[in-house]
Amino acid sequence: MTLDMAAPLKSGWRRVKFGDVVRLSKARSQNPLADGLERYVGLEHLEPGDLRIRSWGNVADGTTFTNRFEPGQVLFGKRRAYQRKVAVADFAGVCSGDIYVLESKDADVLLPELLPFICQTDAFFEHAVGTSAGSLSPRTNWTSLADFQFSVPSIAVQRKTLTLLTAALSVVEELLAALYALRVLRRSMEMRLLSMDGVSKRKVGDIAKFSSGKGIRVSDLPKVQSESNPVPVYGGNGISGYTDTAMDGTSAPTVVIGRVGQFCGVTSMTVGQCWITDQGHRTRKS
């Protein structure tokens, strides 16, 4: 989602600063358990690009977090904002000090349900990243975020926009659920095939041979595919970048198996010409 700041304003629209229509919540809970709060959220619990909070910690296990949030409020990760961590709370709890708790100041000016979508726009993230300070762990601050400018339409237009965005989000959720179910089904089928009785078994080495890929400086590779770098580079954990040259013998689908470190055994399937690093084994027919 993008916000075109250069476009002329339409009738009924007006330019505002983020801090004029959004409030930074300063609610605190010094004793979450006594306040009836059972869950806490850290940055590690927020997934980039996912507006839902799908994991959390239990307050009973211990936490030093005191920032309180309520259902409907927006959680925005201010540390390493380039990770694009934004979520809408559907329960009450406490969260890390590296997470801002945001809410609409006035529902008659900005619909609260529209706020998370605004926080997901490219323009908002570019502003947050551009105003972050610090080398190892850059953080943006509320004063800088409050200065972010964007255009707000009438409430009627906001409601129509929200309906479309909510419908699109619902489709995405259903697709993700289908993909998860597909992975579970595939795993079940694989386990079934490997454990079937009465089926002859052969060693993998009898039907395929393995060789490692070729070294390439993955850290220097662009992470986005382009016309000048169209060839995917597979490492021990899938695609790790793109380059301009394909490795010989990779035009056909190839199985890549991670061979070192934490990705040892991780399997990927290529779909066309590619480069395979020395962090992975490639399979070939015997």
Side-chain angles (χ1 to χ4, degrees):
M1 184 178 178
T2 60
L3 292 176
D4 187 355
M5 299 302 296
L9 291 178
K10 298 180 180 180
S11 176
W13 291 58
R14 62 193 181 97
R15 195 87 73 191
V16 298
K17 286 188 176 182
F18 193 72
D20 292 338
V21 295
V22 177
R23 178 186 297 109
L24 173 64
S25 174
K26 297 183 179 180
R28 299 289 183 267
S29 175
Q30 300 300 328
N31 191 336
L33 271 181
D35 291 337
L37 303 176
E38 299 178 351
R39 291 178 275 188
Y40 70 83
V41 174
L43 279 177
E44 69 276 12
H45 297 123
L46 303 182
E47 293 296 328
D50 191 348
L51 286 178
R52 290 188 60 185
I53 302 175
R54 302 179 189 272
S55 63
W56 51 80
N58 294 315
V59 171
D61 295 333
T63 181
T64 59
F65 298 160
T66 59
N67 284 354
R68 180 167 183 158
F69 62 85
E70 303 294 339
Q73 291 182 316
V74 176
L75 307 187
F76 172 77
K78 69 175 182 178
R79 178 163 66 92
R80 298 189 177 122
Y82 56 82
Q83 293 182 333
R84 294 176 172 252
K85 293 190 173 185
V86 178
V88 182
D90 57 1
F91 58 87
V94 289
C95 64
S96 164
D98 283 325
I99 296 175
Y100 280 142
V101 180
L102 308 174
E103 59 186 1
S104 172
K105 280 186 176 181
D106 186 345
D108 291 330
V109 177
L110 176 65
L111 292 178
E113 299 86 355
L114 200 59
L115 177 56
F117 295 103
I118 294 173
C119 292
Q120 275 195 325
T121 61
D122 292 339
F124 184 78
F125 277 116
E126 288 171 3
H127 180 86
V129 173
T131 57
S132 294
S135 55
L136 296 178
S137 189
R139 292 174 172 82
T140 188
N141 59 70
W142 171 244
T143 301
S144 297
L145 285 184
D147 281 337
F148 172 67
Q149 295 186 34
F150 64 104
S151 302
V152 176
S154 65
I155 288 296
V157 173
Q158 289 185 43
R159 290 196 180 100
K160 292 180 180 179
T161 302
L162 180 61
T163 298
L164 294 174
L165 290 172
T166 302
L169 186 61
S170 178
V171 172
V172 171
E173 290 283 347
E174 291 179 4
L175 288 174
L176 290 176
L179 288 173
Y180 176 77
L182 180 61
R183 287 195 293 269
V184 173
L185 177 60
R186 187 184 71 177
R187 177 61 64 186
S188 177
M189 292 177 63
E190 291 170 347
M191 297 303 294
R192 174 61 176 164
L193 289 172
L194 292 174
S195 61
M196 289 178 65
D197 295 329
V199 178
S200 61
K201 295 179 173 60
R202 299 176 62 184
K203 293 182 178 179
V204 174
D206 293 339
I207 58 176
K209 61 181 180 180
F210 300 84
S211 62
S212 61
K214 296 182 180 179
I216 188 172
R217 289 181 63 88
V218 173
S219 60
D220 294 339
L221 298 176
K223 305 304 179 185
V224 178
Q225 192 175 35
S226 64
E227 290 185 5
S228 57
N229 292 283
V231 180
V233 176
Y234 286 82
N237 190 34
I239 297 176
S240 52
Y242 295 87
T243 187
D244 58 358
T245 305
M247 182 184 295
D248 292 338
T250 60
S251 58
T254 304
V255 175
V256 180
I257 303 174
R259 58 182 289 266
V260 297
Q262 62 178 319
F263 300 128
C264 185
V266 174
T267 304
S268 305
M269 174 70 80
T270 69
V271 294
Q273 287 194 320
C274 63
W275 187 284
I276 300 171
T277 76
D278 54 1
Q279 299 295 303
H281 281 303
R282 56 186 297 200
T283 58
R284 299 178 179 177
K285 294 181 180 179
S286 296

